[in-house]
Amino acid sequence: AAGVIQSPRHLIKEKRETATLKCYPIPRHDTVYWYQQGPGQDPQFLISFYEKMQSDKGSIPDRFSAQQFSDYHSELNMSSLELGDSALYFCASSLAGNYGYTFGSGTRLTVV
Amino acid sequence: ILNVEQSPQSLHVQEGDSTNFTCSFPSSNFYALHWYRWETAKSPEALFVMTLNGDEKKKGRISATLNTKEGYSYLYIKGSQPEDSATYLCALMRGDDKIIFGKGTRLHILP
């Protein structure tokens, strides 16, 4: 069965650079969520989209932005990267009105 | 403020012992409660989706109960094994489709 696809799996960037993470939800899922998990930390919700519109916003820094496209994939854009942005970034997708959601395998971002 | 609270934050259990921990949530606008097993740097694994007051679900040695009127769910692990070491996360799904995560209970199984 198709899962949530995230790309790239690993990314190394230098401070002040920009990064773009991509998330491809399960087919027919209309909602995408982004999470950040720093080393040894709890996962933190960043932002979510439903039907290409932002539906909820968590602890997402102003340097980050995200959007959901017409094919329901989502991109998380991160600018002016800081060392503290090094983390595992998960996305999850769901079908609104349904139960549960499926996580991708994550993108590990390392800022050096 | 809508909050999902999990307790304890961390738990050390001897291998073979049974244990349980709690997820508390505001009971208004409840739609479903999810339990996940989460190992660091891995994607959370869905354990249970609970929707009805009084629900009891079981998966192997792990079971969960739900009380939507008082706003809590318990997760039980019987006969803990080393592979049970993980963070157990609950997430509340509200009627408006918002999902609120708890901070998790970190379970450490001692040999």
Side-chain angles (χ1 to χ4, degrees):
Chain A
V4 175
I5 308 296
Q6 288 189 247
S7 67
R9 289 296 303 274
H10 302 275
L11 190 58
I12 299 175
K13 290 284 185 177
E14 293 188 356
K15 282 194 301 184
R16 292 179 290 278
E17 282 193 318
T18 297
T20 298
L21 311 185
K22 296 184 181 182
C23 171
Y24 295 87
I26 286 178
R28 293 185 297 279
H29 278 193
D30 51 15
T31 309
V32 170
Y33 312 84
W34 284 97
Y35 303 97
Q36 176 195 57
Q37 186 177 15
Q41 294 179 8
D42 296 313
Q44 297 293 321
F45 168 66
L46 293 178
I47 196 166
S48 64
F49 292 88
Y50 165 65
E51 282 292 344
K52 294 153 277 183
M53 299 287 289
Q54 182 184 309
S55 57
D56 204 6
K57 196 171 182 179
S59 50
I60 184 169
D62 291 340
R63 299 176 289 108
F64 294 7
S65 65
Q67 57 182 320
Q68 187 179 30
F69 294 85
S70 57
D71 64 350
Y72 294 100
H73 94 273
S74 179
E75 295 184 2
L76 178 66
N77 299 295
M78 309 158 72
S79 62
S80 303
L81 287 169
E82 301 173 356
L83 295 178
D85 296 329
S86 295
L88 194 57
Y89 290 84
F90 288 115
C91 80
S93 74
S94 71
L95 181 62
N98 223 327
Y99 301 153
Y101 50 117
T102 305
F103 280 85
S105 299
T107 293
R108 181 170 293 286
L109 172 68
T110 303
V111 181
V112 297
Chain B
I1 295 175
L2 192 63
N3 249 346
V4 174
E5 306 279 351
Q6 289 191 247
S7 63
Q9 215 172 32
S10 183
L11 189 56
H12 291 77
V13 174
Q14 207 68 41
E15 185 179 346
D17 285 353
S18 297
T19 187
N20 65 84
F21 29 92
T22 308
C23 174
S24 303
F25 52 87
S27 51
S28 62
N29 210 7
F30 175 88
Y31 187 70
L33 189 84
H34 303 254
W35 279 102
Y36 294 84
R37 180 181 177 280
W38 197 320
E39 292 182 55
T40 304
K42 290 187 180 178
S43 204
E45 172 199 353
L47 291 174
F48 305 111
V49 179
M50 310 187 76
T51 56
L52 297 175
N53 185 43
D55 254 359
E56 288 188 30
K57 297 209 172 178
K58 189 175 179 185
K59 184 178 181 179
R61 294 178 292 99
I62 304 176
S63 60
T65 61
L66 178 68
N67 184 323
T68 58
K69 292 184 179 177
E70 296 182 28
Y72 65 84
S73 176
Y74 293 139
L75 191 79
Y76 299 87
I77 301 179
K78 186 177 177 183
S80 303
Q81 298 297 309
E83 60 265 29
D84 295 330
S85 293
T87 295
Y88 290 83
L89 208 62
C90 74
L92 170 69
M93 180 179 279
R94 302 190 324 186
D96 57 3
D97 259 1
K98 293 190 190 311
I99 299 178
I100 315 291
F101 276 100
K103 292 188 179 297
T105 292
R106 287 191 187 86
L107 177 64
H108 306 268
I109 305 300
L110 307 171

